[in-house]
Amino acid sequence: EAKPKQEAKAKQEAKPKQEGKKGKEDKKGGKKEEAPAAEPTKEELEKAAAAKKKKVIKEGGKRGVEIEGAADMGGLQFFCTSVIEPEGDMELTVESMKAMNAKSDPTEEERKGGSGHIGKMIFSAGTEHLAVVAYVPEEKRGALSCEEWLSAVLTSQSGEMLSKGADISTGIVKANADKGIFPLKIREPMILEANNFLRKKGLFPEDDDDDDDEMVFGDD
């Protein structure tokens, strides 16, 4: 009678060991499938950053031409719009502004920039914040303070000024889900705020048509 009991006991002991072995194999197999991607090398990161910057400059240059055309057609001295490529990165948003303001090269097949004589405020939404860059050309600084303009717009959404300058000033509005502040959601109201500030100073056409505030390119 003892013999069957011993056999049963031996079988029970062997079973967990086998299961343990199987578990290890599964674990090993799982590890193989879920292996994390290798960290990008310094060269790969630099290459990706250069490619991103190129996209930002291309978008900014194209937007500069559009702004110049629309402003000249509408007799505007100032323009507010959004850009997509910087994705809220402040450094890249400033690069976008520089690309808009770059002098057009008449020898180039595709015109870029050319809107350095037009004051601008541009907005770029990221996941964590909305980046805002204001620019006022030298000849218009008597009529408008770059710092004052940006400060008024940032204050409307409890934003934060990052840098102050007579030509370029920068700031951000951090996302806050508890307060319902989302970069994409607040972007349009802030463009309206920027235009309204200009209206009060007589620097932007009165709102005869709702389309006046819809001068946002590249969001299609």
Side-chain angles (χ1 to χ4, degrees):
E1 283 181 8
K3 202 174 179 184
K5 282 183 183 177
Q6 283 174 343
E7 281 178 3
K9 193 177 179 185
K11 279 181 184 176
Q12 280 176 344
E13 282 173 0
K15 203 174 180 186
K17 281 182 185 175
Q18 286 173 343
E19 282 175 358
K21 195 177 177 186
K22 192 180 176 187
K24 277 182 186 174
E25 283 171 3
D26 287 346
K27 197 174 178 185
K28 195 176 176 186
K31 249 185 178 178
K32 206 170 182 182
E33 285 172 24
E34 294 164 19
E39 285 289 320
T41 63
K42 189 183 174 186
E43 287 76 13
E44 285 171 338
L45 288 170
E46 284 173 355
K47 194 176 177 184
K52 182 65 176 170
K53 189 175 177 180
K54 192 177 177 183
K55 280 185 175 182
V56 167
I57 290 170
K58 185 178 180 182
E59 180 192 41
K62 188 182 174 190
R63 197 65 55 84
V65 173
E66 291 170 347
I67 288 171
E68 183 192 26
D72 287 352
M73 193 168 63
L76 302 175
Q77 306 172 66
F78 296 91
F79 208 90
C80 303
T81 189
S82 64
V83 283
I84 297 167
E85 288 299 343
E87 296 180 303
D89 183 289
M90 182 54 74
E91 196 179 322
L92 292 176
T93 308
V94 171
E95 285 295 331
S96 181
M97 178 69 84
K98 287 178 182 175
M100 291 180 194
N101 294 339
K103 285 188 178 180
S104 291
D105 184 348
T107 62
E108 285 187 339
E109 192 178 327
E110 189 182 355
R111 282 187 69 231
K112 294 189 280 286
S115 66
H117 60 293
I118 298 158
K120 287 179 283 296
M121 191 175 289
I122 63 173
F123 302 77
S124 181
T127 52
E128 294 176 4
H129 62 252
L130 181 73
V132 191
V133 178
Y135 161 76
V136 177
E138 192 174 351
E139 63 273 18
K140 293 185 171 65
R141 287 172 204 161
L144 180 69
S145 158
C146 185
E147 182 188 331
E148 185 191 357
W149 186 24
L150 180 59
S151 177
V153 175
L154 288 172
T155 302
S156 70
Q157 296 289 345
S158 305
E160 173 190 347
M161 186 84 83
L162 295 183
S163 70
K164 302 171 185 178
D167 55 345
I168 286 180
S169 294
T170 66
I172 60 169
V173 180
K174 291 177 182 174
N176 188 326
D178 295 335
K179 293 182 179 177
I181 297 174
F182 301 99
L184 283 170
K185 188 179 173 185
I186 62 171
R187 187 180 62 188
E188 299 308 312
M190 287 183 78
I191 289 175
L192 289 173
E193 188 68 34
N195 286 339
N196 286 333
F197 185 88
L198 294 171
R199 280 196 186 97
K200 286 172 191 170
K201 289 188 171 286
L203 299 171
F204 200 80
E206 283 304 315
D207 196 8
D208 298 328
D209 192 328
D210 291 342
D211 291 341
D212 280 349
D213 293 312
E214 298 304 320
M215 295 177 180
V216 181
F217 300 117
D219 288 350
D220 298 336

